[in-house]
Amino acid sequence: MNVPTLAGILPPFPTPIKTDGSVDEAALKKLVEHLIQAGCSGLVPIGGTGEYTALSPADREHVVAITVEVSAGRVPVVAGMVSPGFAESVQAGKAFKAHGADALLTITPFYVTPSQQGIREYFRAYREAVDLPIVFYDIPYRTRIVTEAATIAEMEQDGSIFGMKACNTDMAHFNEIAASTSPGFQLLAGEDMLFPAQMALGARGGILASAPLIPEYWVTLYQALKDGHIQAAIDAQRELLPLLKALFAEANPGPLKAAMKWMGHDCGEVLAPLQPPSPTTLERLSSALVVLERKGLIPSGSVLAH
């Protein structure tokens, strides 16, 4: 089994949807190529930002297949998995593997409330069933389950996971994970607001929800952190705070899809039960992007025109 190297910026991107509800294949291919050309070092199709729960199993597979086809081995493809149950997750994981995914980003089982040992056994069984490298997705503000650092270290030792996306905003918890896992553990930041801090504590890169919108900016910010320019990276991240607050003012990816349309990547509307962002959120988004554009921090043109 080949374990991919994950580092840098890996965007979890929205799924482009046509007005009839089908996947917009042309827009998806354009977006995938754009993210690669922008310097992103991996791609994360479907998952939460890609509206996994609203897509049919066939559409999920279609998105992964297209992403693999367009990436053509240039960057690893880590298919996002947010199914709550084991059997469905195994079925989907095997399908994504068949379509060429390099790894799976697999969420903690939710709705039920597993014990720490239950989480450990779940991922051990999942890894054995799917036979593909697993990135553990820890996001307790969605799952309502906190996975202890010791459990994560045990899962690495079991060979169940080789990395994780950390969306727990508890930085002490993140630090404990970094200290408990091996130097080869591929720990990735999952919080746009905390990216410099998570990098400083041991992250190798980030799976950041705003990265599909401004990939070049995040790639440059990551490189500054990698080169040790911590304060410059913090200053650059703080320039984004108004934009990030607007993007996450409502359920992702509603605001993200609206902003991406202005930036030249129309991903269509969100799927039920999500709703388009409110006029207030749209105004906040537009204002934040205009400020960045006027400062020359993002490509000029579409936002000011909008």
Side-chain angles (χ1 to χ4, degrees):
M1 182 182 66
N2 294 320
V3 176
T5 299
L6 306 181
I9 301 300
L10 297 86
F13 53 88
T15 300
I17 301 294
K18 295 180 180 179
T19 55
D20 64 1
S22 63
V23 173
D24 188 334
E25 185 171 324
L28 176 57
K29 289 181 175 179
K30 176 187 173 186
L31 177 57
V32 168
E33 186 62 34
H34 167 67
L35 295 174
I36 294 174
Q37 292 300 321
C40 296
S41 51
L43 297 168
V44 184
I46 53 174
T49 301
E51 297 180 272
Y52 182 103
T53 58
L55 295 172
S56 70
D59 281 341
R60 296 169 190 166
E61 291 185 42
H62 190 43
V63 171
V64 172
I66 292 172
T67 304
V68 170
E69 174 192 344
V70 176
S71 62
R74 289 176 289 174
V75 298
V77 174
V78 183
M81 178 85 62
V82 292
S83 297
F86 185 79
E88 182 184 351
S89 295
V90 168
Q91 183 179 29
K94 287 181 176 180
F96 299 157
K97 177 184 176 181
H99 287 297
D102 297 289
L104 301 174
L105 175 66
T106 306
I107 201 165
T108 314
F110 57 95
Y111 185 76
V112 298
T113 306
S115 66
Q116 295 298 301
Q117 187 62 25
I119 294 170
R120 182 180 180 183
E121 293 298 335
Y122 180 95
F123 277 87
R124 194 203 313 262
Y126 188 74
R127 165 67 185 79
E128 290 176 355
V130 177
D131 192 29
L132 201 65
I134 306 299
V135 178
F136 175 59
Y137 185 11
D138 187 36
I139 183 165
Y141 52 79
R142 289 292 184 97
T143 62
R144 304 297 186 262
I145 299 162
V146 175
T147 307
E148 297 172 3
T151 303
I152 294 166
E154 289 167 349
M155 290 194 292
E156 184 199 5
Q157 293 163 12
D158 293 339
S160 304
I161 62 174
F162 78 101
M164 72 175 289
K165 175 185 178 181
C167 284
N168 189 331
T169 57
D170 181 344
M171 292 303 294
H173 181 260
F174 183 89
N175 194 35
E176 189 177 357
I177 293 168
S180 301
T181 52
S182 77
F185 188 65
Q186 302 193 33
L187 180 59
L188 299 168
E191 289 296 317
D192 303 49
M193 291 283 195
L194 298 175
F195 183 60
Q198 290 182 314
M199 281 285 293
L201 288 175
R204 302 161 59 103
I207 300 176
L208 307 175
S210 64
L213 179 64
I214 46 172
E216 296 93 344
Y217 195 100
W218 278 115
V219 169
T220 301
L221 198 157
Y222 162 76
Q223 192 61 49
L225 288 164
K226 187 178 178 184
D227 292 342
H229 305 305
I230 307 299
Q231 190 57 56
I234 290 172
D235 293 342
Q237 194 266 354
R238 286 175 176 167
E239 292 277 7
L240 297 180
L241 291 181
L243 173 62
L244 297 179
K245 291 176 72 174
L247 283 172
F248 302 126
E250 298 182 30
N252 184 49
L256 177 62
K257 279 192 166 184
M260 288 189 68
K261 182 176 182 179
W262 301 337
M263 298 290 282
H265 291 277
D266 189 351
C267 294
E269 298 296 329
V270 290
L271 301 171
L274 297 182
Q275 293 291 302
S278 68
T280 299
T281 295
L282 290 174
E283 177 58 34
R284 290 176 63 189
L285 275 174
S286 179
S287 297
L289 285 167
V290 164
V291 169
L292 292 172
E293 190 173 331
R294 284 175 172 158
K295 289 182 176 180
L297 299 176
I298 62 172
S300 62
S302 57
V303 182
L304 283 172
H306 168 80

